[in-house]
């Protein structure tokens, strides 16, 4: 790793330029200079290497098989059919393993080699999509409830989220100079960054907009969340949440997942001012000495929620009103067709672990044509005004705004290309999430995406054994404790510890409001099945009504979690949510 701290690198980078141009031009290595490996994140890319072949290349005295992951900035995960076709052709031409929908409604490309980084970036921008600030210590892709076309106020929420995303973009022209050959002009390298300053934020920052009763964005996992309050079809404003986050480090009690706190209510025209107030308060008070303690959740725990709220109100110039009641039903997706108010319909498809490929899916032998199928759907919708693809925060895909006249043809393509898995998949399979993990993620300790098919099949087998195949349990796997699949909000979660070994976490609810807790530490596949089997048996026999698995485990004291969560939602609002 670089001898320089991330804080030093940011400050010395001339607004994120560093020596990226030189690094890209160096023909002697597939890697970047060390400091540039940090800076390229702000441009939406990570240097990685193929961990499957790391050892064999080391023995052969070859440098690691370097390549780059590129992540788009697509607020709310929206792309038009014409953009879809371009993104698809980029995947086919420059990347490996197809298109990957992320847990924040972005696309990731994996396996782009250094010499093709710039043409790939240019091709993405030619599709009118950018990757600026998709990674790094800045506000990341803004997540938005996945189907904002259902009614006018849903569309309004999306528009506000997109405006906030634009407002929080860095002002630097570095991105355009490096990737799009924009000419350097006077002032270049010292652009004014009123939101970020020259050191950007202490750490990554995430924002999500939820529309009850669905909590598909897992709003309580966001640094800053907006819960839309819609009454009689009219958007009234938002409850604001602060301080959510998943990341933790095994064995380090100073780090932990945390659900956000609701701090009050704002009107629609206060969305940007309150957002800027929260971001700049974190910029000025976040921990810049210890990166592991630099997220907003720790700033709030270290200084107190009341202090943070006053600081936000002082910066925003107004007082937050008391939070309004809301009720979440589920943090998964709604699969199948949903009718919009305007006669158009929206079809949500299950995409296993978000990976869209032609060929064999990681971890499974079966050959798929999902990439081709979605290409044909995009071609069909090219001239259908207002039709869109919308990625969900659960790695699935909504084909949105389909005119009634095209619905049958969409259904036919979905069936022809095996995209109709959502119809037959068990509820547990439909809602399962897994982060990327191996072979690309440098931080992975165990498999996640590649293990998901086997693990889901095992859970299905156990549920079948207890005659509850339709139990709707939300299940998540992460290859390490960083929590990219938001595992601590899973009713069942595996968090990677070492190859083939996981911490088994249990007891979250299925509304994304309560964190789970450690049930068994560092166990392998057989022990996980052995631990779950009796719990499923007891759940089958003792559950009350439509009680969720996590709620059952808490009620029956199999796991002990204070409810409401210690840092969580005001009791009055939880009571309302359960009414
Ligand atoms: Fe993540 C780091 C993948 C959503 C918490 N995450 C990484 C890196 C970049 C690994 C690295 O730093 O070298 C992973 C790249 C893997 C690869 O090969 O592609 C990675 N994170 C992902 C994605 C692709 C997971 C997925 O399977 O979909 C998601 C991309 C989201 C996006 O489009 O922007 C992704 N990451 C999340 C989420 C979920 C969310 O945001 O809703 C979290 C938990 C929420 C949070 O931030 O607290 C998350 N990722 C982390 C962390 C822990 C941060 C922390 O506070 O400690 C890291 C490690 C870090 O930042 O040091 C990390
Ligand atoms: Fe990688 Fe860990 Fe995130 Fe999975 S949870 S993608 S293993 S950083």
């Amino acid at each position: 790793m670089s001898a320089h701290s991330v804080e030093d690198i940011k400050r010395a980078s001339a607004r994120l330029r560093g020596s990226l141009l030189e690094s890209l031009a160096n023909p002697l290595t597939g890697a970047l200079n060390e400091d540039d490996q940090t800076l390229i994140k702000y441009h939406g890319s990570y240097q990685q290497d193929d961990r499957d072949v790391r050892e064999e290349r080391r023995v052969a005295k070859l440098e690691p098989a370097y390549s780059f992951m590129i992540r788009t900035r697509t607020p709310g995960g929206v792309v038009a059919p014409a953009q879809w076709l371009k993104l698809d052709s980029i995947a086919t031409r420059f990347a490996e393993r197809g298109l990957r929908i992320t847990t924040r409604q972005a696309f990731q490309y994996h396996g782009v080699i250094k010499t093709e980084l710039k043409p790939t970036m240019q091709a993405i921008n030619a599709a009118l999509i950018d990757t600026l600030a998709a990674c790094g210590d800045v506000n990341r892709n803004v997540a938005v409830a996945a189907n904002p076309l259902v009614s006018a106020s849903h569309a309004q929420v999306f528009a506000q989220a997109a405006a906030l995303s634009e407002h929080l973009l860095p002002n630097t022209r570095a991105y355009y100079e490096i990737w799009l050959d924009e000419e350097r002009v006077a002032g270049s390298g010292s652009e004014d960054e009123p939101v970020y300053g020259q050191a950007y934020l202490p750490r990554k920052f995430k924002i999500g907009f939820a529309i009850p009763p669905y909590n598909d964005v897992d709003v309580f996992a966001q640094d800053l969340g907006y819960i839309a309050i819609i009454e009689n079809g009219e958007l009234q404003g938002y409850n604001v949440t602060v301080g959510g986050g998943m990341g933790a480090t095994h064995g380090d009690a100073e780090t932990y997942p945390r659900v956000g706190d609701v701090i009050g209510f704002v009107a629609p025209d206060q969305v940007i001012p309150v957002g800027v107030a929260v971001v700049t308060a974190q910029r000025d008070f976040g921990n810049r000495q210890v990166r592991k303690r630099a997220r907003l959740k720790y700033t709030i725990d270290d200084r107190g929620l009341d202090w943070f709220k006053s600081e936000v109100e002082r910066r925003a110039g107004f007082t937050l009103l008391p939070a309004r009641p809301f009720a979440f039903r589920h943090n998964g997706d709604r699969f199948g067709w949903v009718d919009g108010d305007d006669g158009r319909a929206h079809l949500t498809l299950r995409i296993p672990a978000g990976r869209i490929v032609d060929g064999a899916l990681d971890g499974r032998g079966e050959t798929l044509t999902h990439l081709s199928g979605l290409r044909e759907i995009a071609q069909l919708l090219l001239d259908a005004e207002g039709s869109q693809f919308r990625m969900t925060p659960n790695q699935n895909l909504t084909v949105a705004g389909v005119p009634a006249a095209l619905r049958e043809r969409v259904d036919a393509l979905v069936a022809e290309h095996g995209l109709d898995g959502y119809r037959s998949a068990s509820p547990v399979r439909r809602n399962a999430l897994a982060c990327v993990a191996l072979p690309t993620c440098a931080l992975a300790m165990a498999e996640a995406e590649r293990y998901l098919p086997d693990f889901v099949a095992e859970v299905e087998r156990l549920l079948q054994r207890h005659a509850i195949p339709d139990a709707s349990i939300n299940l998540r796997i992460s290859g390490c404790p960083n929590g990219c699949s938001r595992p601590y909000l899973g009713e069942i979660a595996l968090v990677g510890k070492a190859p083939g070994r996981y911490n088994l976490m249990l007891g979250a609810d299925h509304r994304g409001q309560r964190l789970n807790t450690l049930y068994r530490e560092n166990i392998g596949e057989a022990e996980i099945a052995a631990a779950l089997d009796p719990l499923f048996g007891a759940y089958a026999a003792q559950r009350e009504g439509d009680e969720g698995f996590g709620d059952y485990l808490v009620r029956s004291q199999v796991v002990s979690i204070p409810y409401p969560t210690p840092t969580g939602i005001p009791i009055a609002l939880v009571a309302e949510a359960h009414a």
Side-chain angles (χ1 to χ4, degrees), residues 1 20 23 31-41 45-47 66 68:
M1 269 318 285
L20 268 166
S23 269
L32 304 175
N33 298 338
E34 284 187 356
D35 289 0
D36 295 330
Q37 291 172 28
T38 294
L39 292 176
I40 198 168
K41 296 178 186 176
S45 178
Y46 268 71
Q47 179 178 308
Y66 291 122
F68 291 80

Side-chain angles (χ1 to χ4, degrees), residues 342-419:
D342 60 356
R344 293 182 301 157
H346 319 294
L347 173 64
T348 300
L349 303 170
R350 162 87 184 129
I351 307 290
R355 182 78 62 186
I356 303 171
V357 290
D358 276 355
L361 192 66
D362 289 337
R364 225 197 291 172
E366 178 191 353
T367 299
L368 304 173
T369 58
H370 288 177
L371 196 60
S372 299
L374 290 165
R375 185 182 309 138
E376 287 187 42
I377 293 174
Q379 279 155 350
L380 176 70
L381 296 177
L382 259 185
D383 298 324
E385 208 194 316
S387 63
Q388 293 169 339
F389 289 86
R390 287 180 173 258
M391 293 171 263
T392 82
N394 290 309
Q395 302 172 326
N396 295 313
L397 185 68
T398 302
V399 184
V402 178
L406 293 180
R407 201 167 146 156
E408 263 182 40
R409 287 168 68 193
V410 169
D411 268 337
L413 288 170
V414 162
E416 184 187 335
H417 291 281
L419 286 158

Side-chain angles (χ1 to χ4, degrees), residues 435-437 441 443-444 478-480 482-484:
C435 72
V436 177
C441 179
L443 307 177
S478 276
C480 83
N482 283 314
C484 298

Side-chain angles (χ1 to χ4, degrees), residues 46 48 69 71 100-106 108 110 134 140-141 203-204 206 221-222 245-248 295 297 395 434-437 440-443 482-484 486:
Y46 268 71
Q48 303 184 316
M69 173 269 271
R71 186 184 287 168
R100 172 62 155 68
I101 299 176
T102 73
T103 49
R104 296 196 66 77
Q105 300 173 295
Q108 276 190 190
H110 289 106
R140 305 288 189 87
N141 199 40
R203 202 66 166 84
K204 56 175 66 166
K206 299 180 172 179
Q222 312 286 332
M246 296 280 99
R295 293 292 292 271
K297 59 184 174 181
Q395 302 172 326
C435 72
V436 177
T440 50
C441 179
L443 307 177
N482 283 314
C484 298
R486 298 185 292 269

Side-chain angles (χ1 to χ4, degrees), residues 194-217:
V195 174
Y196 292 116
Q198 60 167 326
Y200 298 86
L201 299 181
R203 202 66 166 84
K204 56 175 66 166
F205 192 91
K206 299 180 172 179
I207 300 178
F209 284 71
I211 305 179
Y214 302 100
N215 187 17
D216 51 355
V217 300

